[in-house]
Amino acid sequence: SSAASDVYKRQAKEAYIEAIRVKNEYLQSNGYSNYDMTYEQFMQNTYLPYYKSEVSTHTYSTRQPALRLLIRRFGKKKLTTISIRDVQNFRTWLLSEKGANYSQAYASLTFGTFRKSLEFAVSMQYLTTNISMKVKAIPKGKTITGYWTKQDFEKVISNICINDFYEHLCFVLLWLYFCTGVRVNEGTALWRDDINFSKKELHIGHMMIISSKTNWIRQSHTKTDSGLRTISLDDDTICILREWKKRQSKLGKVNFILSYDSNPMLKSTISRIIKRYARIAGVPKIQAKGLRHSHASYLINELNASVLIVSKRLGHSSPEITLRHYAHLWSGVDKELASEMAGLINIKHAEKTQIQFNGNQALLR
């Protein structure tokens, strides 16, 4: 059996050597070797095709700016010559005011993406060690997304004139996001037949991947499996959507709810709409995703909704995720509860003690 084991080990070693030889031969035929390969060559020919196959189309699309930044920063350097100093300087640049000055969260994502790319280079045996692991990671940090209160939202919609068709669209857009809490790319993917007017329900089953008005994909799935959901709509929202459907029908056949030209709405357009009306109404400027946060705040602070209901409407896979993102919104909810607790417990004390003290207790009389 020892002899058989030796044969197996020798065969495994020979197979490994042959695999390395074939791989190096392929690399040589493409104009570079392991030692001459630049970071850009590694990214374009090896890492990006792998990464694209591992993540969703949406994730790959949103990571493009970070991936392009990495290629610009390290592209011309040989993969094997990237040093600790290079990595540390990059980390500093991401966070410093004189550098990229990115937010803690985005700097963490970008630096983490770089680390993962080098880790894959190690697994593919282009590198022996991941040099970036010797530099401290950038913590994600705690970011609290800005949002509108009910009062803020009322100020905003009071400054919208729905007699104008485009302003009517702006009103419907803001109302829909504020009152349903859908993700930005879930809202832009909504078709008119996603609304069931008789049941007063909105079906969320698609996600929009868009780079321009004419270059987009309406994916038949959401960010997570739990994102596939049905949201109950209130009577006001049903009425608003009915009126918009009538007015939008005058354009002809339009599938998208949030559209004025039959094409889906761009996220940048939504951001401009929010910024414009925030300025006019004198309320905080928030990001597009801040409307989802606003819905969570509305449910919690105005309707005293439980974490289970909030989690279901937002399409989270568990209440724990909801609490991770929105726990701070429940901070004042217990004040009303505390006031109701007063007087509920009947306070009555014994006239004589029933305890026999032993030892050296110090008693205050």
Side-chain angles (χ1 to χ4, degrees), residues 185-197:
N185 55 17
E186 291 172 345
T188 53
L190 286 173
W191 277 5
R192 289 164 60 163
D193 57 9
D194 288 323
I195 307 170
N196 187 321
F197 286 100

Side-chain angles (χ1 to χ4, degrees), residues 143-182:
T143 56
I144 297 178
T145 305
Y147 63 94
W148 285 340
T149 63
K150 180 174 80 77
Q151 291 72 28
D152 290 334
F153 185 63
E154 287 171 342
K155 287 180 182 177
V156 168
I157 61 177
S158 70
N159 283 279
I160 300 176
C161 177
I162 66 169
N163 291 334
D164 177 86
F165 181 85
Y166 186 74
E167 283 207 73
H168 193 173
L169 170 61
C170 293
F171 167 67
V172 172
L173 181 149
L174 295 174
W175 183 279
L176 187 66
Y177 279 116
F178 187 90
C179 292
T180 64
V182 295

Side-chain angles (χ1 to χ4, degrees), residues 16-203:
Y16 172 76
I17 292 171
E18 177 63 12
I20 294 297
R21 186 192 68 75
V22 171
K23 184 168 70 175
N24 283 336
E25 192 174 275
Y26 169 78
L27 293 171
Q28 293 281 1
S29 68
N30 281 274
Y32 56 88
S33 68
N34 285 2
Y35 302 103
D36 295 328
M37 184 192 303
T38 65
Y39 181 76
E40 182 173 10
Q41 287 171 327
F42 162 71
M43 290 291 282
Q44 298 291 1
N45 295 293
T46 305
Y47 185 68
L48 292 183
Y50 157 77
Y51 184 65
K52 189 173 185 178
S53 69
E54 288 291 302
V55 300
S56 68
T57 305
H58 172 66
T59 299
Y60 188 74
S61 175
T62 57
R63 293 291 184 273
Q64 284 303 300
L67 292 167
R68 286 195 294 266
L69 185 149
L70 296 179
I71 292 172
R72 285 199 305 272
R73 180 83 184 194
F74 296 100
K76 294 181 180 179
K77 290 190 73 70
K78 291 181 181 179
L79 193 60
T80 55
T81 63
I82 296 175
S83 66
I84 294 177
R85 182 179 293 179
D86 293 330
V87 178
Q88 182 60 60
N89 287 343
F90 179 54
R91 186 187 189 280
T92 303
W93 178 81
L94 286 170
L95 293 167
S96 68
E97 290 184 9
K98 293 184 178 179
N101 196 24
Y102 287 141
S103 67
Q104 185 88 4
Y106 191 72
S108 174
L109 183 147
T110 305
F111 194 68
T113 302
F114 178 57
R115 279 181 145 198
K116 287 178 183 176
S117 72
L118 294 189
E119 192 61 36
F120 188 70
V122 172
S123 69
M124 291 294 290
Q125 299 173 359
Y126 295 139
L127 293 174
T128 55
T129 58
N130 184 348
I131 198 74
S132 70
M133 300 303 287
K134 296 183 179 181
V135 175
K136 184 180 177 182
I138 300 176
K140 287 184 178 179
K142 185 159 184 171
T143 56
I144 297 178
T145 305
Y147 63 94
W148 285 340
T149 63
K150 180 174 80 77
Q151 291 72 28
D152 290 334
F153 185 63
E154 287 171 342
K155 287 180 182 177
V156 168
I157 61 177
S158 70
N159 283 279
I160 300 176
C161 177
I162 66 169
N163 291 334
D164 177 86
F165 181 85
Y166 186 74
E167 283 207 73
H168 193 173
L169 170 61
C170 293
F171 167 67
V172 172
L173 181 149
L174 295 174
W175 183 279
L176 187 66
Y177 279 116
F178 187 90
C179 292
T180 64
V182 295
R183 296 179 176 91
V184 175
N185 55 17
E186 291 172 345
T188 53
L190 286 173
W191 277 5
R192 289 164 60 163
D193 57 9
D194 288 323
I195 307 170
N196 187 321
F197 286 100
S198 60
K199 291 185 177 181
K200 300 178 184 178
E201 291 176 345
L202 179 67
H203 177 66

